[in-house]
């Protein structure tokens, strides 16, 4: 979820997360924000879990999703996240391209997987989704292509397997990569125990040197959830995604809020600068030379530039992955920040952070594998700033 910051008074205003059709992105709206008020905001940083939380799934489709997961060989949270991305559980959905039903099949593809049933029958649609994903997943695992087979299979659902084969991976067409990552994010809301990765997630990640990329100095990360404030109170979300309040004790030592994305990033920054307890080198109000606050995640790049620290497109261990306010993975206008945990040889990295998803998955630690091109920038702590 987006990072929270405060400028003085502990007040808050509602945030609403909305999920739409395939062309939609997760959107955050904040009302009444003004100087002297505290505004809870959200960071979009997804994680996928092997568990399955059915509490926010229409009950009439729970068994269908579980059956489709067994057929496909994929976690049910992935199947559920895919349905949310495709139709937002609307069995009568029709896309501008003519895809139909809850699982958004084109007529030609439906002929091969729909068993002659009505594409607007949601039970038939989810069953067809399971069969089609089983085929795509089989092809992905046998393809020898670089990348996570789950992600490749999801890309094939969106762009066609031929499109994946043609480019040797996830097509960079402005839609498919976002589609894959969006599903990984939605799946987090359907996971039972946030904080671990799904089948085919980061299990095969191989750490490499932290000295690669961008000519900026590498950082460090413990690689574990050692965030010291994980058990303290935090702002609360309703099952619909709006903020229900920020209880006493939820304001953090960094002058932000506990278990928000920006608070976790400030913890990692302080670690790299030699601090593991107060007094802290980096706090919300002392980072920028001009006296401005670090603020919401959207403001981190300008804060880096104001400080004269390196900003580029190359991940390094310990760098801040920055998702700007227009990034499709961040709620509109507020951005997201996380930390590069590992850099991988296949042109990707492992990201760690805090706070994504609806209860009970909100305000939790997560990790996820991402393509280097997904964030808008990587923000580096220069070697000269370290002890």
């Amino acid at each position: 979820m987006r990072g929270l910051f405060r400028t003085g008074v502990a007040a808050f205003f509602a945030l609403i997360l909305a999920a739409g059709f395939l062309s939609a992105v997760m959107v955050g709206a904040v009302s009444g924000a003004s100087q002297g008020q505290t505004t809870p905001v959200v960071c979009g940083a997804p994680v996928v879990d092997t568990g399955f939380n059915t509490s926010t799934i229409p009950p009439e489709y729970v068994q269908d999703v579980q059956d489709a997961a067994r057929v496909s060989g994929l976690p049910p949270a992935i199947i559920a996240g895919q349905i949310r991305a495709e139709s937002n559980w609307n069995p009568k959905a029709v896309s501008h391209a003519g895809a139909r039903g809850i699982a958004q099949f084109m007529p030609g593809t439906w002929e091969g997987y729909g068993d002659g049933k009505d594409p607007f029958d949601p039970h038939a649609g989810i069953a067809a989704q399971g069969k089609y994903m089983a085929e795509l997943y089989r092809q992905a695992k046998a393809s020898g292509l670089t990348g996570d087979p789950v992600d490749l299979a999801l890309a094939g659902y969106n762009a066609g397997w031929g499109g994946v084969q043609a480019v040797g991976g996830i097509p960079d067409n402005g839609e498919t990569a976002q589609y894959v990552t969006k599903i990984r994010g939605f799946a987090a809301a359907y996971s039972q125990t946030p904080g671990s990765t799904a089948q085919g997630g980061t299990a095969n990640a191989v750490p490499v040197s932290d000295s690669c990329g961008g000519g900026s100095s590498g950082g460090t990360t413990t690689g574990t959830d050692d965030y010291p404030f994980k058990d303290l109170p935090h702002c609360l979300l309703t099952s619909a995604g709006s903020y229900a309040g920020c209880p006493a004790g939820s304001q953090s030592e960094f002058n932000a809020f506990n278990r928000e994305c920006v608070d976790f990033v400030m913890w990692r920054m302080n670690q790299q600068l030699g601090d593991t307890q107060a007094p802290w080198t980096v706090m919300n109000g002392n980072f920028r030379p001009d006296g401005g606050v670090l603020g919401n995640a959207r403001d981190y790049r300008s804060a880096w530039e104001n400080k004269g620290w390196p900003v580029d497109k190359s991940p390094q261990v310990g760098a801040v992955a920055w998702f700007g306010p227009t990034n499709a993975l961040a709620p509109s206008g507020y951005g997201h920040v996380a930390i590069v945990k590992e850099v991988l040889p296949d042109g990707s990295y492992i990201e760690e952070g805090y706070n994504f998803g609806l209860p009970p998955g909100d305000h939790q630690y997560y990790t996820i594998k991402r393509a280097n091109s997904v964030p808008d920038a990587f923000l580096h702590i220069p070697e000269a700033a370290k002890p």
Side-chain angles (χ1 to χ4, degrees), residues 352-377:
E352 64 170 351
Y354 250 79
N355 198 14
F356 175 82
L358 299 175
D362 63 310
H363 293 87
Q364 304 291 330
Y365 176 78
Y366 76 89
T367 62
I368 190 171
K369 179 179 178 180
R370 291 196 193 277
N372 295 348
S373 59
V374 172
D376 295 292

Side-chain angles (χ1 to χ4, degrees), residues 223-251:
T224 61
D225 181 15
D226 59 357
Y227 177 63
F229 313 120
K230 67 182 75 174
D231 296 323
L232 295 181
H234 61 82
C235 296
L236 304 175
L237 285 176
T238 69
S239 60
S242 60
Y243 270 89
C246 296
S250 59
Q251 294 175 344

